[in-house]
Amino acid sequence: MASNDPLLQPYKLKHLTIKNRIMTTSHEPAYPEDGMPKDRYRAYHEERAKAGVGMTMTAGSAAVSRDSPPVFNNVLAYKDEVVPWMKKVTDACHEHGCAVMIQLTHLGRRTGWNKGDWLPAVAPSHHREASHRAFPKQMEDWDILRIIEDYADAAERMKAAGLDGIELEAYGHLMDQFWSPRTNTLDGEYGGSLENRMRFSLNVLEAIRKRVGDKFIVGIRYTADEADKDGISAAEGIEISKRLQRSGMVDFLNVIRGHIDTDPGLTDVIPVQGMKSAPHLDFAGEVKKVTGMPTFHAARIPDVATARYAVAEGLLDMVGMTRAHMADPHIVRKIMAGREDDIRPCVGATYCLDRIYQGGDALCIHNAATGRELTMPHDIPLADKKRKIVIVGAGPAGLEAARVSAERGHDVIVFEAAPEPGGQIRLSAQSQRRAEMISIIDWRMAQCAARDVEFRFNTWAEAADIEVENPDVVIIATGGLPHTEVLKNGNELVVSSWDIIAGDVKPGQDVLVYDDAGDHAGLQAAEVIANTGAKVEIMTPDRSFAPDVMAMNLVPYMRSMQEKDVTFTVTYRLKDVVRDGNRLRAKIGTDYSDLIKEKNYDQIVVNHGTIPMDEIYFDLKPASVNLGELDHKAFINGQPQSIAANADGKFQLFRIGDAVAARNTHAAIYDALRLAKDL
Ligand SMILES: Cc1cc2nc3c(=O)[nH]c(=O)nc-3n(C[C@H](O)[C@H](O)[C@H](O)COP(=O)(O)O)c2cc1C
Ligand code: SF4
């Protein structure tokens, strides 16, 4: 029976029928190899296509020119060899009825010069972009003509690869660098009036149309309001939208609101957790209304209800659920099966996007199979043999192990000392801004409940409690405890970041937060203290503070703390703490010299990762078949664990997550998935 769900209605774009209204907007996960979308890339898109997404906009900022070197391992659309690789991606997705397009761009000043072919970045002005820092060459006439042709060449390659269409990127990149008075200081026919500032993009469209014809789908993803003074205003953006429509060369508009030349700007365009959902949806709807053009949009529409509303209300024709699909590639399949409650929620952690700006690949904080489709399953297959699996610890690692083991069909018991599940995640979620993190736990608890996993809360498990269960496998996922023993003297005088976040210790009035772990806990504790009106100094021995928090995640912390009494001190190492009356005197050194200085505070908070809670592991080790040993080769290659060093052993014993060594949520969940999928 045909569904009447607005999200599941087909959409006709020119000659192309897209089977439903859900798309993934262009997002470069930085999976290319040598700039080419090879097997990993294809498997990633194919997984979403198989599960029913209507359209996938592949790549993200695929480069049309050699002087647009990748900022995060983008597809090199300026090479002919891209054609067969893109064809494979396209064919694989088409096989499942998923429409496929690609985003093409020239990054202009939004890149660096010291990579690729070492050509200078180019832009219609000398103005540097704050995020990427290149001082661009101001473009000459021959740069303009060359790049127009590059766009047309790249479009032709994509048509040859069998794609359904292309999208040109015009927010923060070369096209809108021409549009915006902030970034265009050219004289002559490409600078000055709006007509002149739009000339470059219209010339590009003309060149593309000449090559690919009128039938091939060509759209544009563009900022229709830079939301910044001196930038493109909403009124001018609407005028740009109308001119694009009137040009007759554009088949769809994919609306962006904002500017991305700074980390805070980028974060307003792509909001992270704790920020408003769907903040630009109404604006996109307005553009659709005034232009009558097919309109797409994505910006934190993480849930099906909001997506459905966007389409039902006629605000959008295609709704982008991009990070939502990184968290769960099977969204459409689950909607169709009436299983929306099973969708693994995107919690807006933006670990995915922050990683690519640090040179990594995009990974989801709580779906370790995303981007690893060649080795990690999104659907867990049943095991050949049912086993009894006992897990100690109900944090992210323990719960992922429980979920995966239960999906394998095993009998699963989870012991947890605390009254509630969650471990460190529960702590992170204490801050209102990070409250969504708890969905990582809630989703797993619901999945476990549906598969009859037995939980024993408020139970401090001893080795004997485990052995009496006669398990086949024991997994220790007990996590860690804050490690504050970093000083020569005075360890007993400091408190941990967790003490502050959990509310176990009242914040002082004049506080040093010494953070040499560089993760969220340090900044989160500092924010809790600063919120009380206290004076806070955040100190690190590193060159920059909180490196593991990364660009977009740093934004809400800075917005919250910069307006309070908070200072940042880098390159200093806390050595000793002594009592000085009712204050604490800190002895502060540096790795760069023998310099020592002293400063008084009334509280010192240390953030130095965790130390594993591994007692039960070592108690159980002698009774295990494998003596706790993990066969790394099998673990990495996706084979079952078969070490049997102890003939008298009664069960296999493994340890995962921070119970092994302090890492992060993704590492804990990946440990659990990798191990449990082969049990
Ligand atoms: C890993 C990653 C890479 C991205 N790269 C691009 C890109 O190259 N071009 C682009 O237009 N948008 C890019 N985006 C933005 C997405 O297309 C989308 O606008 C954004 O994630 C907001 O939508 P969402 O809330 O549904 O995720 C990227 C997003 C992610 C998560
Ligand atoms: S890392 Fe966070 S924002 Fe990115 S897909 Fe996963 S849950 Fe969503």
Side-chain angles (χ1 to χ4, degrees):
M1 199 176 69
S3 165
N4 55 13
D5 186 339
L7 284 175
L8 299 181
Q9 305 311 308
Y11 180 63
K12 198 143 175 22
L13 178 65
K14 240 173 166 170
H15 54 273
L16 179 70
T17 302
I18 304 173
K19 66 181 172 184
N20 58 53
R21 303 305 186 97
I22 301 180
M23 70 180 289
T24 51
T25 53
S26 159
H27 61 295
E28 179 47 70
Y31 301 154
E33 295 154 63
D34 308 317
M36 294 298 129
K38 297 189 180 175
D39 294 349
R40 181 185 185 191
Y41 210 96
R42 183 172 68 248
Y44 172 76
H45 283 286
E46 194 177 4
E47 185 76 35
R48 283 140 194 81
K50 240 191 288 179
V53 74
M55 178 161 93
T56 180
M57 186 66 71
T58 61
S61 320
V64 300
S65 300
R66 300 202 79 108
D67 59 355
S68 173
V71 278
F72 38 72
N73 188 13
N74 307 79
V75 170
L76 304 179
Y78 58 77
K79 292 193 170 180
D80 287 338
E81 66 182 279
V82 77
V83 174
W85 288 114
M86 272 316 297
K87 182 156 187 354
K88 279 188 174 184
V89 175
T90 308
D91 289 351
C93 294
H94 278 168
E95 186 109 336
H96 304 286
C98 171
V100 187
M101 299 194 192
I102 188 170
Q103 182 182 76
L104 299 176
T105 200
H106 191 296
L107 291 155
R109 64 178 192 153
R110 191 175 168 76
T111 184
W113 45 265
N114 57 354
K115 48 187 165 183
D117 297 301
W118 279 66
L119 294 166
V122 294
S125 76
H126 293 292
H127 301 325
R128 166 166 113 160
E129 193 215 50
S131 284
H132 292 82
R133 304 178 56 77
F135 292 102
K137 171 195 170 186
Q138 181 161 300
M139 291 168 79
E140 298 173 66
D141 46 2
W142 54 269
D143 286 313
I144 293 174
L145 295 178
R146 168 176 61 80
I147 293 171
I148 290 171
E149 285 311 300
D150 286 345
Y151 269 101
D153 290 344
E156 200 176 348
R157 287 185 194 104
M158 296 310 152
K159 190 178 177 194
L163 279 98
D164 296 300
I166 58 166
E167 167 184 273
L168 304 175
E169 210 278 16
Y171 66 106
H173 292 196
L174 185 58
M175 275 201 167
D176 61 302
Q177 288 163 25
F178 271 91
W179 294 353
S180 176
R182 293 193 315 160
T183 46
N184 184 343
T185 54
L186 291 177
D187 294 327
E189 57 178 349
Y190 289 99
S193 66
L194 180 61
E195 188 181 354
N196 283 356
R197 285 182 275 129
M198 283 190 74
R199 191 180 312 281
F200 173 73
S201 19
L202 293 172
N203 287 169
V204 167
L205 283 162
E206 281 156 14
I208 287 176
R209 282 290 173 210
K210 252 189 221 150
R211 293 291 185 86
V212 300
D214 290 339
K215 292 213 177 91
F216 192 61
I217 294 173
V218 178
I220 185 161
R221 189 172 206 202
Y222 70 111
T223 179
D225 173 8
E226 281 191 301
D228 203 19
K229 66 174 175 359
D230 309 326
I232 299 163
S233 64
E236 196 169 38
I238 294 287
E239 180 55 28
I240 289 172
S241 312
K242 288 181 180 163
R243 289 183 186 213
L244 289 170
Q245 182 249 330
R246 283 202 301 268
S247 78
M249 293 186 284
V250 176
D251 297 313
F252 66 84
L253 301 178
N254 189 348
V255 178
I256 293 283
R257 180 185 226 175
H259 61 100
I260 61 170
D261 52 338
T262 60
D263 294 341
L266 179 66
T267 307
D268 288 337
V269 170
I270 306 177
V272 301
Q273 62 186 196
M275 294 172 76
K276 206 170 157 241
S277 278
H280 312 306
L281 176 58
D282 287 338
F283 178 67
E286 229 172 277
V287 173
K288 178 173 158 60
K289 207 156 100 193
V290 294
T291 60
M293 290 281 286
T295 302
F296 309 168
H297 173 67
R300 195 158 145 80
I301 301 177
D303 60 299
V304 174
T306 310
R308 188 171 284 130
Y309 163 83
V311 174
E313 291 299 307
L315 300 172
L316 303 179
D317 296 300
M318 292 294 296
V319 56
M321 298 185 76
T322 303
R323 283 171 293 175
H325 270 81
M326 298 189 85
D328 191 337
H330 298 167
I331 290 177
V332 176
R333 179 188 294 166
K334 288 177 183 174
I335 296 174
M336 290 171 79
R339 290 173 49 216
E340 281 175 34
D341 288 349
D342 271 345
I343 293 173
R344 186 186 318 220
C346 171
V347 298
T350 313
Y351 183 65
C352 47
L353 195 54
D354 266 343
R355 273 181 60 85
I356 64 170
Y357 280 107
Q358 301 239 126
D361 49 355
L363 297 171
C364 173
I365 195 169
H366 81 124
N367 187 344
T370 289
R372 297 195 180 98
E373 281 75 12
L374 294 174
T375 53
M376 295 292 131
H378 284 282
D379 282 325
I380 309 292
L382 272 178
D384 297 338
K385 193 172 138 215
K386 196 180 180 82
R387 306 173 86 189
K388 182 163 185 186
I389 302 200
V390 172
I391 296 164
V392 187
L399 289 183
E400 175 73 349
R403 174 189 80 87
V404 176
S405 302
E407 287 198 33
R408 298 276 288 149
H410 300 311
D411 284 331
V412 184
I413 302 178
V414 182
F415 287 87
E416 169 57 53
E420 289 172 309
Q424 285 182 53
I425 298 276
R426 188 161 290 280
L427 207 62
S428 308
Q430 295 256 333
S431 293
Q432 187 52 35
R433 233 177 9 77
R434 306 195 69 210
E436 283 166 77
M437 292 293 278
I438 206 65
S439 298
I440 294 175
I441 300 305
D442 291 347
W443 180 75
R444 287 179 169 75
M445 288 302 289
Q447 295 295 306
C448 285
R451 292 170 182 84
D452 295 327
V453 173
E454 184 186 336
F455 283 90
R456 298 194 194 159
F457 290 109
N458 294 306
T459 308
W460 184 272
E462 306 282 356
D465 303 320
I466 307 292
E467 287 183 66
V468 80
E469 297 294 337
N470 281 325
D472 297 301
V473 182
V474 178
I475 300 175
I476 305 301
T478 37
L481 281 176
H483 183 16
T484 54
E485 311 259 312
V486 294
L487 309 175
K488 248 194 184 149
N489 301 296
N491 284 315
E492 71 288 357
L493 298 175
V494 306
V495 300
S496 74
S497 48
W498 289 27
D499 291 332
I500 298 287
I501 300 168
D504 293 341
V505 170
K506 197 168 162 262
Q509 280 306 302
D510 181 5
V511 185
L512 172 67
V513 174
Y514 179 66
D515 178 16
D516 68 354
D519 55 10
H520 277 276
L523 287 188
Q524 201 169 338
E527 191 181 355
V528 169
I529 301 166
N531 282 345
T532 66
K535 180 175 172 194
V536 184
E537 178 178 356
I538 301 171
M539 180 183 289
T540 174
D542 300 323
R543 274 180 291 148
S544 64
F545 65 93
D548 288 349
V549 171
M550 303 191 274
M552 295 175 73
N553 271 282
L554 188 64
V555 172
Y557 286 115
M558 289 299 102
R559 283 185 169 158
S560 150
M561 289 198 284
Q562 279 187 332
E563 56 187 38
K564 306 199 171 96
D565 194 359
V566 180
T567 53
F568 298 88
T569 307
V570 295
T571 72
Y572 285 95
R573 184 176 288 284
L574 181 64
K575 299 272 189 184
D576 278 342
V577 177
V578 292
R579 212 175 268 293
D580 184 6
N582 60 357
R583 305 263 290 166
L584 298 172
R585 188 180 320 135
K587 208 181 199 188
I588 299 160
T590 162
D591 298 347
Y592 297 85
S593 71
D594 294 332
L595 179 80
I596 292 284
K597 52 184 187 176
E598 291 189 339
K599 202 169 166 190
N600 278 12
Y601 304 91
D602 69 7
Q603 185 178 59
I604 295 179
V605 179
V606 169
N607 186 50
H608 182 72
T610 55
I611 204 101
M613 290 217 283
D614 50 15
E615 213 178 300
I616 189 165
Y617 166 80
F618 284 104
D619 288 348
L620 286 166
K621 200 171 152 174
S624 67
V625 181
N626 58 330
L627 298 174
E629 184 176 349
L630 179 72
D631 178 345
H632 278 180
K633 214 166 160 191
F635 188 58
I636 292 164
N637 293 338
Q639 288 148 0
Q641 294 287 323
S642 55
I643 291 174
N646 177 14
D648 299 328
K650 300 189 196 70
F651 49 82
Q652 286 183 301
L653 173 68
F654 303 103
R655 173 161 80 120
I656 57 175
D658 284 5
V660 184
R663 285 167 290 162
N664 67 11
T665 306
H666 180 85
I669 285 174
Y670 187 28
D671 268 7
L673 174 65
R674 261 209 281 199
L675 177 72
K677 78 179 179 32
D678 295 314
L679 290 176

